[in-house]
């Protein structure tokens, strides 16, 4: 872990250094610090709040050894003040866990640290490192101390580490599997792998890759980041929304090719989907991740704000996304948390952090946010979505309704609807007149209502089978046109129930690009002539 050593090389500008690290990096960092001091034969001591002593730290056969007590101690900072420490490197943990302190306790602790730095200036040969997983210093302390932050390793650092440890050119898949893991996790897994002597070949590297993928899944699921899990879309494509689909699945995919970078082209960094519920905003984000082969990392704004320490969660999340690189950062239902924007509050601070990151980050992370009510988003936030665009996903027009019906009919009744993307009614089992009748009834339906009604028909068909037929399981599912038509007539359309709020949504999002072009299908209704008509 040579690169880690470079990161924690102390600069000696200040006798006191703070070092922020991931929980799994502790052991590696402590080992590295002992190693770095052994060349100067400088003793290393350690304390955390589980010890009543300061202990000596050494390495024995590459393992950390916590030695005999040097000094009784409940607060090591007091000992520094009493000038009771002998020369050496002292590593103290837990003193920067300010989160659990009251404001007064915190102020006392900060003063103690401040005083220590002043004292240590006159005690040569003593250096102190304060460890912490989330270090937030006051400006007063920031000026007095040296700060090091051990982030997640980048793809290049991972590649170099793997190559050194495995003496093998690491496959790209192995590198990607490690992206998003901390140094300590990678090191631990590699040690385990190398601990069992066996030949390193493509098979063993594949199984190592799998181990890393499983480890990352486990870590992310238990990270406290409340990352949302999104299943893969279970339909082959998105109905309607032709303009947006072309942008995503043609232009965006091409701009993400490594070849595009040769021309200095960069893929867009952020997109925003706005529209009524059930029109495919979340589905489109999932499909984009699938098509690009990116990881979909979702987090609801409500969860961030509800977390114990929202600022920390956001930092971890953004660092994780940057480190993994090929990620869609999915901010679903973003309007939910923005109600207190004007009043300042944590929402504003968090969003501000996102804004800065969205502008600055150089990783290929694509942010996709979805909202129902765009009026809750402040203008400075909207501007950030200019490159990928703000898109309006509205209720499907008549041609799109035909399209969406066929996706679900082919999924539920595949023996009857053999083509999920029919170019015309000739490729379906129903006539043009039947389709017109169905579309007349389904106008103003959302795609989710269409999907639901077709699924209900399949469930009804199955439940109508006899016990024998269900056991045999060899019946083809067939849908009767009139049955579907009746079911569609019974839909209690959300768009009718909430007509006013949907219209308001459209008015507020007047500047958004339409996801769908005008209906040019044979089912479109001719525009009615304006009252008064033309001349003649
Ligand atoms: N354009 C579409 N084509 C096919 N199916 C769709 C489409 N839009 C939505 N659906 C279906 O409806 C379901 C719900 O859609 P989705 O969750 O994407 O809606 P949404 O716009 O995110 O709604 P909300 O505003 O409530 O979050 C999808 O899982 C999918 O089955
Ligand atoms: Mg959604």
């Amino acid at each position: 872990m040579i690169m880690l050593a470079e990161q924690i090389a102390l600069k000696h500008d200040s006798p006191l250094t703070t070092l922020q690290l991931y929980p799994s990096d502790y052991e590696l960092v402590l080992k590295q610090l002992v190693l770095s001091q052994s060349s100067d034969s400088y003793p290393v001591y350690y304390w955390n709040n589980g010890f009543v002593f300061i202990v000596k730290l050494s390495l024995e056969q590459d393992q950390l050894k916590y030695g005999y007590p040097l000094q009784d101690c409940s607060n090591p900072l007091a000992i520094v003040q009493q000038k009771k420490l002998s020369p050496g490197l002292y590593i103290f943990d837990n003193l920067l866990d300010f989160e659990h302190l009251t404001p007064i306790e915190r102020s006392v602790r900060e003063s103690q640290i401040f005083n220590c730095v002043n004292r240590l200036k006159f005690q040569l040969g003593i250096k102190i490192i304060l460890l912490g997983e989330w270090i937030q210093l006051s400006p007063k302390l920031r000026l007095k101390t040296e700060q090091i932050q051990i982030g997640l390793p980048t793809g290049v650092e991972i590649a170099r580490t793997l190559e050194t440890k495995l003496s093998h050119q690491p496959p790209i898949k192995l590198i990607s599997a490690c992206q998003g893991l901390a140094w300590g996790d990678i090191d631990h897994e590699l040690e385990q792998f190398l601990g069992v002597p066996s030949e390193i070949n493509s098979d063993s590297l594949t199984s190592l890759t799998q181990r890393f993928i499983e480890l990352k899944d486990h870590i992310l699921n238990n990270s406290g980041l409340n990352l949302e899990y999104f299943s893969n879309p279970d339909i082959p494509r998105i109905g309607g929304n032709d303009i947006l689909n072309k942008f995503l699945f043609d232009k965006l995919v091409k701009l993400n090719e490594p070849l595009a970078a040769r021309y200095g082209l960069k893929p867009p960094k952020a997109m925003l989907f706005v529209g009524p519920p059930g029109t495919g905003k979340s589905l489109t984000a999932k499909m984009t991740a699938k098509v690009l082969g990116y990881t979909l990392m979702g987090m609801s704004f409500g969860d961030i704000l509800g977390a114990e320490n929202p600022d920390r969660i956001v930092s971890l999340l953004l660092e994780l996304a940057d480190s993994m690189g090929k990620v869609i950062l999915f901010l679903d239902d973003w309007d939910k948390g923005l109600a207190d924007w004007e009043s300042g509050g944590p929402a504003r601070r968090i969003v501000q952090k996102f804004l800065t990151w969205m502008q600055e980050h150089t990783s290929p992370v694509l942010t996709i946010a979805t909202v129902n009510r765009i009026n809750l988003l402040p203008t400075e936030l909207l501007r950030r979505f200019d490159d990928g665009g703000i898109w309006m996903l509205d209720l499907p027009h008549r041609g799109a309704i035909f399209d969406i019906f066929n996706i679900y009919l082919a999924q539920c009744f595949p023996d009857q609807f053999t083509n999920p993307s029919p170019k015309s009614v000739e490729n379906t089992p129903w006539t043009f007149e039947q389709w017109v009748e169905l579309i007349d009834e389904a106008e103003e339906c959302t795609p989710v209502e269409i999907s639901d009604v077709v699924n209900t028909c399949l469930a009804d068909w199955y439940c109508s089978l006899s016990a024998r037929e269900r056991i045999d399981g060899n019946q083809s599912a067939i849908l009767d046109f009139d049955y579907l038509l009746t079911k569609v007539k019974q839909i209690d359309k959300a768009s009718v129930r909430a007509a006013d709020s949907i219209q308001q949504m459209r008015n507020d999002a007047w500047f958004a690009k339409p996801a769908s072009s005008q209906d040019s299908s044979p089912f479109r209704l001719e525009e009615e002539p304006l009252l008064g008509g033309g001349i003649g």
Side-chain angles (χ1 to χ4, degrees), residues 281-282 332-333 370:
K281 299 181 293 298
S282 305
D332 209 9
D333 298 330
T370 75

Side-chain angles (χ1 to χ4, degrees), residues 220-231 281-282 285-286 289 294-305 313-314 316-318 320-321 324 326-334 354 357 365-370:
L220 290 184
N221 288 332
N222 296 288
S223 62
L225 289 178
N226 293 330
L227 288 177
E228 285 175 317
Y229 175 76
F230 294 97
S231 54
K281 299 181 293 298
S282 305
K286 291 185 217 173
Y294 276 28
T295 306
L296 190 66
M297 234 172 77
M299 179 131 186
S300 91
F301 204 61
D303 282 352
I304 301 186
L305 287 173
I313 296 281
V314 173
L316 288 172
L317 188 73
L318 297 182
L320 182 66
M324 288 172 62
K326 294 187 169 183
V327 164
I328 289 188
L329 188 63
F330 183 32
L331 309 171
D332 209 9
D333 298 330
W334 228 35
F354 264 117
W357 172 82
V365 180
L366 169 67
T367 302
I368 298 185
T370 75

Side-chain angles (χ1 to χ4, degrees), residues 10 12 14-19 33 37 42 45 47 54 76-81 85-93 95-96 112-113 115-117 119-121 123 125-131 144-148:
L10 303 176
H12 303 288
S14 160
L16 196 141
T17 303
T18 65
L19 200 159
L33 287 169
Q37 300 305 312
Y42 210 53
Y45 301 98
W47 175 91
I54 294 179
L77 294 175
I79 299 189
V80 180
Q81 300 219 43
L85 292 182
S86 52
L89 173 68
Y90 291 83
I91 305 166
F92 299 148
D93 198 0
L95 294 173
L96 295 172
Q112 285 176 335
I113 298 174
N115 296 344
C116 275
V117 181
R119 279 237 185 275
L120 286 171
K121 279 197 196 126
Q123 296 187 44
I126 296 182
K127 195 143 175 67
I128 292 183
I129 297 182
L130 300 181
L131 301 181
K144 281 274 179 188
T145 57
E146 187 182 325
Q147 293 112 38
I148 300 177

Side-chain angles (χ1 to χ4, degrees), residues 75-241:
N75 181 356
L77 294 175
I79 299 189
V80 180
Q81 300 219 43
Q82 293 155 13
K83 292 196 180 180
K84 283 193 184 159
L85 292 182
S86 52
L89 173 68
Y90 291 83
I91 305 166
F92 299 148
D93 198 0
N94 305 115
L95 294 173
L96 295 172
D97 300 345
F98 292 152
E99 278 168 71
H100 311 293
L101 301 183
T102 63
I104 296 197
E105 286 166 341
R106 180 179 171 150
S107 145
V108 169
R109 178 72 53 82
E110 291 203 316
S111 299
Q112 285 176 335
I113 298 174
F114 183 81
N115 296 344
C116 275
V117 181
N118 292 336
R119 279 237 185 275
L120 286 171
K121 279 197 196 126
F122 304 99
Q123 296 187 44
L124 296 179
I126 296 182
K127 195 143 175 67
I128 292 183
I129 297 182
L130 300 181
L131 301 181
E133 289 165 29
W134 174 247
I135 301 181
Q136 298 289 294
L137 297 178
S138 63
K140 180 168 119 185
L141 278 185
R142 228 175 297 142
L143 289 174
K144 281 274 179 188
T145 57
E146 187 182 325
Q147 293 112 38
I148 300 177
Q149 183 176 348
I150 299 189
L152 298 175
T154 63
V156 175
E157 288 171 330
I158 292 173
R160 275 167 59 194
T161 305
L162 289 171
E163 195 173 347
T164 318
K165 287 252 177 185
L166 300 171
S167 318
H168 232 271
Q169 181 78 21
I172 299 284
K173 281 196 171 148
L174 177 58
I175 301 172
S176 317
C178 294
Q179 280 180 288
L181 289 172
W183 289 98
D185 294 317
I186 298 175
D187 186 67
H188 180 76
E189 204 61 25
L190 279 176
E191 291 297 319
Q192 301 243 316
F193 175 75
L194 294 168
V196 184
S198 68
E199 194 196 339
I200 296 182
N201 53 29
S202 69
D203 280 350
S204 62
L205 289 178
T206 309
S207 86
L208 180 64
T209 307
Q210 194 52 36
R211 278 166 68 163
F212 275 118
I213 290 174
E214 283 164 20
L215 175 70
K216 189 157 70 184
D217 268 358
H218 178 77
I219 291 178
L220 290 184
N221 288 332
N222 296 288
S223 62
L225 289 178
N226 293 330
L227 288 177
E228 285 175 317
Y229 175 76
F230 294 97
S231 54
N232 254 333
D234 59 355
I235 48 172
R237 65 187 181 86
I238 297 170
N241 298 344

Side-chain angles (χ1 to χ4, degrees), residues 355-370:
L355 292 183
T356 315
W357 172 82
M358 276 164 84
Q359 194 160 8
E360 301 298 326
H361 79 88
T362 50
S363 60
V365 180
L366 169 67
T367 302
I368 298 185
T370 75

